Amino acid sequence: MSVDVLLGLQWGDEGKGKIVDYLADDYDIIARFQGGPNAGHTIVIGDRKHVLHTIPSGVFRKDVINIIGNGVVIDPIVLARELRALQDIGVDTSNILVARKAHLILPTHRFLDAASEASKGKQKIGSTLRGIGPTYMDKTGRNGLRIGDIEKDSFLDRYNSLKEKHIQLGKIYPEVEFNIEEQEKEWFECLDFIKQLEFIDNTYYINQALKEGKKILAEGAQGSMLDIDYGTYPFVTSSNTLTSGVCVGLGLAPQHIGKVFGIFKSYCTRVGSGPFPTELDNEVGEELRKVGAEFGATTGRPRRTGWVDLPQLKYTIMLSGVTHLCVTKLDCLNGFKEIQAATHYKVDGNITDQLPYDLTDADITPQYKTIEGWLEDTDGVSDYDQLPAKAKDYLSFLEEYLGVPVMMISTGPERKSLIIR
Ligand code: GDP
Ligand code: IMO
Ligand code: MG
C-alpha cells in the first residue's frame, strides 16, 4: 500500500480543502504534514461553508481518521476554536489524532511574528501573523515545545523560560500592541480543551496503518511556491510544502509515496508580498478577484490575481512528482472573451521556460499564449461531456503543455461541482 498526496501547485488557496473533502470518502486516513493555522481550507457542504485551519479536511467524512502530523505547528487557541465550531454543528471530532511531535505555537510566537513584520517595513512578508515563522525557528533552533511536552512535569517551567526568551528577543523589534497576559490565559484554557484529543506517536501509527492496508491521503497546506526551500524565498512560509515534506512531516519512507495529486486554479492568485510574474494589476485582475471571490480564507485580505503561469506549474510538478492534475475554478473563467496563459518567460532578454534563481529582482516578462474563451456557463458541471468545446480545448492545452493528465476539474465551491475523468 502507498500514501497518496494532494498538494497546491501555486501560491496557495488552490481549492485543496474542497478536493480533499471529496477524495476523503475513498480513504481511511487524511493527514496534514506541515503548516499550521496560516492555512484556510474551505469546504462547502449544502448551504454551509466551513473553513479549516489545523484540522484535516477529512473531518466531515464518517469513519475517516484525521491526523495532525508532526510537521504541523499547532496553536491551541485556533485548534480549540475549530473543535468547538465543529462540535456545535454535531460533527464527530473523536476521529482527530494529534502527533506528540508536533510543535506548539505560543502566544509569544504570534507576538514575535507581528514584531518581526513591523520591523521590515516595505520588505514585510505579509505573513498571516499566526506565529508560523517564529515557531519553526524555535523548532530548528531546538528550543521549541511539542504537544507531547504538555504531559511532562517540566512543561510549565519550559513554557515560562521560552516565553521570557521571546520577550527579550522582542526588544530588538519595534513595539507592537500585544497583550501577552490575556493571550496566555486563553492559550492555557485552550490547551486544556484540546487534551480531549488523542495524542499519538504518528510514526508508528501511520506505518502500522500502511501495513494493515489502510488507504492514506496526505493533505498539503500553503502552495508549492511558498515552500521554504524552493519557493519565492524569502516571500515564503516556513515549511516544506512539497511531496518531500510528506516524508518528514508524517514519518514515512519515500518509497511509500503513491499518487501525487497536484491542484491549481485555472488562473493564479497570491496573498501576501513577493514576486508574482503573471499578476494582473488592472481591471482584468479585478474581475478575476470578483468572480473568484478571491479574499483570504484565514485573514480576509484581497488576493492578488493573474493568469495561469505554466513555467511555474511545470517547476512545481517536477519538484513534487505530480502524477494527476486537478484544475479548480474553471467556472470563474466563463465570462472572459480571451484567456491568457504564460508559456515562457523573457528573463534579461532571453526566452526560457525555467524559473530564474531569484524572481524578486529578476527582469521577467511572461510570454503569453492567448486562448479563446468559451463564454458559456460551466457552473456546477459534473460531466466532462457537458463542458463547452473551448473549455475542453483549454484543458487539453494545459494537459499537453504540462505533460500530466488532468483527472479532476472543479466547477464550483460545492462538493458535487466536480468532474472526474
Ligand atoms: P485551499 O486553501 O487550497 O483549501 O483553498 P481556499 O479554501 O483558501 O480557497 C479556495 C476558494 O475557492 C474557496 O472559497 C472555495 O470554496 C472556492 N472554490 C473551490 N473550488 C472552486 C471552484 O471550482 N469554483 C469556484 N467558483 N470556487 C471554488
Ligand atoms: P492555504 O493552505 C495562501 C502566505 C502568507 C505570506 C506567506 C508567509 O490556505 O493555501 P506565514 O503566515 O506562513 O508565515 O506567511 O505565506 N500564506 C498563504 N497564502 N494560502 C495559505 O494557506 C497560506 N499560508 C501562508 O500570505 O505571504
Ligand atoms: Mg486557503
Side-chain angles (χ1 to χ4, degrees), residues 12-17 38-42 51-52 222 271 296-298 303:
D13 307 324
E14 296 88 349
K16 298 176 288 291
N38 45 351
H41 295 183
T42 314
V51 181
L52 298 172
Q222 287 70 62
V271 59
T298 296
R303 294 175 183 148

Side-chain angles (χ1 to χ4, degrees), residues 339-404:
I339 295 158
Q340 295 200 297
T343 55
H344 294 82
Y345 293 161
K346 195 184 220 180
V347 182
D348 299 325
N350 301 311
I351 301 290
T352 176
D353 64 355
Q354 296 194 356
L355 272 59
Y357 162 66
D358 189 351
L359 270 73
T360 314
D361 56 10
D363 173 21
I364 300 176
T365 315
Q367 309 293 296
Y368 291 100
K369 177 181 163 69
T370 302
I371 295 129
E372 229 184 296
W374 43 93
L375 297 174
E376 278 181 60
D377 195 3
T378 62
D379 294 36
V381 170
S382 56
D383 176 359
Y384 184 74
D385 293 335
Q386 302 292 314
L387 283 180
K390 284 180 186 156
K392 286 184 191 161
D393 289 347
Y394 180 53
L395 294 168
S396 302
F397 161 71
L398 295 175
E399 198 167 54
E400 221 162 276
Y401 183 103
L402 298 170
V404 182

Side-chain angles (χ1 to χ4, degrees), residues 206-217:
I206 285 201
N207 283 285
Q208 182 60 31
L210 262 178
K211 264 194 201 147
E212 289 168 11
K214 297 264 170 30
K215 289 187 74 183
I216 304 171
L217 177 69

Side-chain angles (χ1 to χ4, degrees), residues 34 37-38 50 56 63-64 73 77 85 99 116 124 128 132 147 161 226 244 290 301 309 311 349 354 384 403 405 411:
Q34 48 71 229
N38 45 351
H50 312 270
D63 302 328
V64 170
V73 290
I77 297 180
S116 161
K124 72 174 185 180
T128 58
I132 305 297
I147 284 285
S161 140
L226 291 172
S244 42
K290 202 173 100 202
R301 291 177 291 178
D309 182 339
Q354 296 194 356
Y384 184 74
T411 57

Side-chain angles (χ1 to χ4, degrees), residues 20-21 24 30 43 45 50 52 55-66 82-83 86 91-96 219 415:
V20 171
D21 165 66
I30 305 294
I43 296 162
I45 304 170
H50 312 270
L52 298 172
I55 294 171
S57 301
V59 73
F60 299 104
R61 299 289 188 178
K62 211 173 152 284
D63 302 328
V64 170
I65 302 284
N66 291 275
E82 282 187 78
L83 281 170
L86 291 172
V91 175
D92 177 15
T93 54
S94 65
N95 58 1
I96 300 169
E219 171 181 1
R415 255 186 192 168

